[in-house]
Amino acid sequence: MLVSADTVERMALVSYTRQNRDAQQAGKLVTKGPELERLKRIATRLQAQVGTFRDDAVKWNWQVSLIDAPVQNATCAPGGKITFYTGLVRQLKMTDDEIAIVMGHEIAHALREHGRERVSQAYAQNALTTTALAAAPNSAAQIEAANTVAHYLYMLPNSRQNESEADAMGLELAARAGYRPEASVAVWRKMQAQDKGRQQAQFTSTHPSHQTRITELTAMLPKVTPLYRAAATVPPAAQSSSRRSQ
Ligand SMILES: [Zn+2]
C-alpha cells in the first residue's frame, strides 16, 4: 500500500476531531447519558478481544463518539475511533447484541486497514499527494487532505471481499465478547425490512445486498457459537484476562 498506516491514522484523527468539534458546535455531540454509556460498554468488551486478530490494536487509543442525527450509519477509523449515529440505534431499535455486531464489523474494517487500501488507491490516482498528507497541522491544506481521506475511508463502498472479511471477523469479535451471534442475522433482516419501499440508508448504500450477507452470516453461525457459549459463561469483568491467556 502506498500510504503508510501512520499517515492514514493521523489524517483520520484530524477528520475525527473535526467531526466531533463540528457536532459539538451544532449541539449534536452526545457527551453523556445512557445511550453513550451503552455504546462505550459494548466497545470496551469488543476492544478486550481485538488482540485475537491484531496485537498492536490492544494499545490503540480507542474512542467512541455518538452523534445525534437521523443518519443510519456507524464507522470505525483506523486507530480505533468509533462513531455511531443515534438514527441507526433508535430507528432500528437495536439490541446490545445487534450493536455489538455492527460495531464489530466496523472495528474489523479498521483492524484489517480496508480504508487504507482505498486511501492508497486515491493516492495512486493523484487525488492525494505527499505534500497534502504532510501539510502543517490545522492548515487549510491539511484540513482539505483530511476531508479527502475521510471521503475515501467512509463514503466509498468496500469490495465484496473486504465486506465478507469484516462480517466474519466482526461476528467472531462479538461472539468472543459474549454477544449472541444470531443477532447478526437479525440486524441485517431489520435493515432489509426497512429498506423495502424507501430510500436506502447511508450504511446500506456503502454495503452489499442484505440477502447475500444474511446467507453468509447464517453459514458462519456454527463456527462462532461455541466461542459465544464459552464467553457467556465467564463474567464480563473477567473476560479480557481469561481470553488473553488462551
Ligand atoms: Zn462494511
Side-chain angles (χ1 to χ4, degrees):
M1 287 193 258
L2 294 168
V3 182
S4 75
D6 279 356
T7 301
V8 175
E9 256 182 57
R10 188 166 47 79
M11 299 310 279
L13 181 59
V14 171
S15 147
Y16 188 75
T17 306
R18 287 183 65 80
Q19 162 203 283
N20 290 343
R21 196 206 57 192
D22 291 351
Q24 180 134 42
Q25 283 174 358
K28 299 288 184 193
L29 188 69
V30 181
T31 54
K32 57 180 191 302
E35 285 181 301
L36 178 64
E37 292 311 315
R38 182 188 189 202
L39 290 174
K40 284 186 172 175
R41 227 173 19 243
I42 295 167
T44 301
R45 277 172 63 175
L46 294 172
Q47 284 151 31
Q49 305 302 327
V50 296
T52 307
F53 299 102
R54 186 172 164 159
D55 280 345
D56 67 328
V58 176
K59 295 192 210 83
W60 280 359
N61 183 15
W62 291 88
Q63 219 176 310
V64 181
S65 294
L66 176 60
I67 295 176
D68 188 13
V71 177
Q72 290 194 4
N73 203 15
T75 58
C76 179
K81 309 298 184 205
I82 299 166
T83 301
F84 262 71
Y85 292 86
T86 53
L88 182 67
V89 180
R90 290 180 193 167
Q91 289 164 23
L92 291 182
K93 298 185 169 57
M94 290 172 95
T95 65
D96 281 13
D97 296 297
E98 290 167 354
I99 290 172
I101 293 292
V102 171
M103 197 183 282
H105 174 98
E106 294 306 324
I107 287 174
H109 278 310
L111 294 177
R112 280 290 175 263
E113 301 184 33
H114 291 155
R116 188 175 155 217
E117 286 178 25
R118 283 174 311 190
V119 172
S120 292
Q121 285 160 7
Y123 183 87
Q125 293 159 4
N126 296 316
L128 282 163
T129 62
T130 308
T131 315
L133 290 170
N138 300 314
S139 63
Q142 192 201 40
I143 291 161
E144 194 188 329
N147 286 340
T148 305
V149 167
H151 174 77
Y152 283 91
L153 285 178
Y154 310 125
M155 302 307 288
L156 297 188
N158 277 289
S159 68
R160 185 72 202 100
Q161 188 189 342
N162 285 357
E163 279 307 319
S164 293
E165 188 179 30
D167 272 345
M169 192 182 290
L171 180 65
E172 184 174 337
L173 209 49
R176 285 181 180 275
Y179 291 104
R180 285 179 56 251
E182 292 82 2
S184 60
V185 175
V187 75
W188 297 113
R189 286 227 170 94
K190 278 186 186 177
M191 292 207 198
Q192 188 177 37
Q194 66 141 29
D195 279 359
K196 281 190 180 135
R198 54 162 277 183
Q199 220 184 0
Q200 282 215 322
Q202 179 162 15
F203 189 82
T204 54
S205 72
T206 54
H207 286 76
S209 99
H210 304 300
Q211 198 47 56
T212 311
R213 197 186 285 275
I214 288 168
T215 305
E216 285 184 3
L217 284 164
T218 304
M220 290 175 204
L221 293 181
K223 189 193 148 203
V224 295
T225 298
L227 295 171
Y228 161 67
R229 293 223 175 95
T233 58
V234 181
Q239 268 179 21
S240 59
S241 52
S242 70
R243 289 284 120 200
R244 235 174 255 138
S245 65
Q246 287 182 1

